[in-house]
Amino acid sequence: MARCVVRLQSLLCEPVLQQPYLLGSAVTRHLRRPLPWVASQHRDFHTTRGVFKEAAENSKITIHFINQDGERTTTTATEGESLLDVVVNKNLDFSGFGACEGTLACSTCHLIFDKNVFNKLEPLVDEELDMLDLAYGLTDTSRLGCQVFVQKGMDGMTVQVPQKVNDIRKAAESSWKQ
């Protein structure tokens, strides 16, 4: 219920709603009163969309991928996108890449980074480490593409896709069929 009140504060920007209410009935009673000042406030949410789109277009970052066959593919990405999203949105053909769609349930988006780029990345979380243990061709600079987000400092970096993908779900499916 407190989350609802906070949301109303940010949308309505009225000091009356800034008092913390712990009981749901108090919030309900308060919101049932007529609020004439709400109709007088007008917020254009759509006007900022152009600003964000322009900023996104200006922050295109070039990334080079080396696929399983050793072929180099160059693409652009927007700052804040995960590398998995970049591969999927740009339709890059990496066999079996991103099978779990970024839910940290597999290691198919395993990527290998250069040491200098790897050192600039955010630290690994335990769940990512657990999935990396299952990855084929694990190196000291391995990360999951679903957990690495594009930053300005990555412009021009080269990322390598391992030779094989270790999708544990396929192994489980084949054992169920037997």
Side-chain angles (χ1 to χ4, degrees), residues 1 11 22 51 118 138 148 169:
M1 189 57 87
L11 289 176
L22 299 178
V51 173
F118 181 82
L138 187 65
V148 177
R169 296 174 314 149

Side-chain angles (χ1 to χ4, degrees), residues 61 78-81 120-122 148-155:
I61 295 157
T78 306
E79 189 175 356
E81 262 186 309
K120 295 177 186 176
L121 299 177
E122 296 288 324
V148 177
F149 296 90
V150 177
Q151 303 167 6
K152 285 186 181 181
M154 295 178 173
D155 194 27

